[in-house]
Amino acid sequence: FFFFFFVETEAEVATMVGKAKSSNEKQTKSITRSARAGLQFPVGRIHRHLKGHTSNKGRVGSTAAVYSAAILEYLTAEVLELAGNACNDLKAKRITPRHLQLAIRGDEELDSLIKATISGGGVIPCIHKNLLAKKGKSNKSQ
């Protein structure tokens, strides 16, 4: 009781093996939503997280994720640029939490936006004007 199967064409062999059916069919390369929007931040991942945190049965508009990714990318670029400038001012080659702290607290808008404590950031150097010695009084006492 032996059954023999005879294959007539190469296309049938390719489909049995699991290869492409023919060379005429071209596969289109998928383009990510981040690439379409011209962003570096992952639009798909942000959309997934937005859907997971909504109470409306996970219904979130597709442009909400693109907009959120664009905002996050802009804020990240802004903080990194200011931290890089602080790093150059201190003649360092790496951005540390101290540089992030100086960058965020030095910018008025970012300071009002980011209220969190940065671990390892230290404090902003500030000497109150009443603690500074006045020039007129110090000359008379000496």
Side-chain angles (χ1 to χ4, degrees):
F1 302 106
F2 295 103
F3 294 102
F4 294 101
F5 294 167
F6 296 101
V7 180
E8 295 179 4
T9 63
E10 292 181 15
E12 291 177 345
V13 172
T15 55
M16 287 181 171
V17 175
K19 295 181 181 177
K21 293 182 181 178
S22 65
S23 60
N24 294 337
E25 296 179 16
K26 295 181 181 177
Q27 295 179 353
T28 58
K29 188 172 183 179
S30 61
I31 301 173
T32 62
R33 288 190 281 173
S34 299
R36 284 183 188 157
L39 298 173
Q40 299 297 318
F41 271 53
V43 174
R45 184 179 299 176
I46 292 171
H47 191 229
R48 185 182 74 226
H49 287 294
L50 283 174
K51 286 194 299 186
H53 295 296
T54 59
S55 60
N56 194 11
K57 299 178 184 175
R59 292 172 58 92
V60 176
S62 60
T63 56
V66 177
Y67 192 74
S68 299
I71 290 171
L72 289 173
E73 185 171 326
Y74 170 73
L75 288 174
T76 303
E78 189 74 20
V79 169
L80 284 176
E81 181 184 355
L82 292 172
N85 293 342
C87 189
N88 286 337
D89 292 343
L90 297 173
K91 295 178 180 149
K93 295 189 177 186
R94 290 185 184 150
I95 296 176
T96 62
R98 175 68 178 163
H99 301 133
L100 291 172
Q101 172 85 324
L102 292 173
I104 291 170
R105 303 300 169 227
D107 189 46
E108 185 179 332
E109 293 175 348
L110 284 175
D111 189 26
S112 64
L113 180 67
I114 302 172
K115 302 283 187 190
T117 302
I118 298 174
S119 176
V123 295
I124 300 300
C126 179
I127 301 174
H128 198 272
K129 62 181 180 179
N130 293 339
L131 297 175
L132 294 173
K134 296 180 182 177
K135 293 180 182 178
K137 292 182 179 179
S138 62
N139 290 341
K140 292 179 181 178
S141 63
Q142 291 179 356

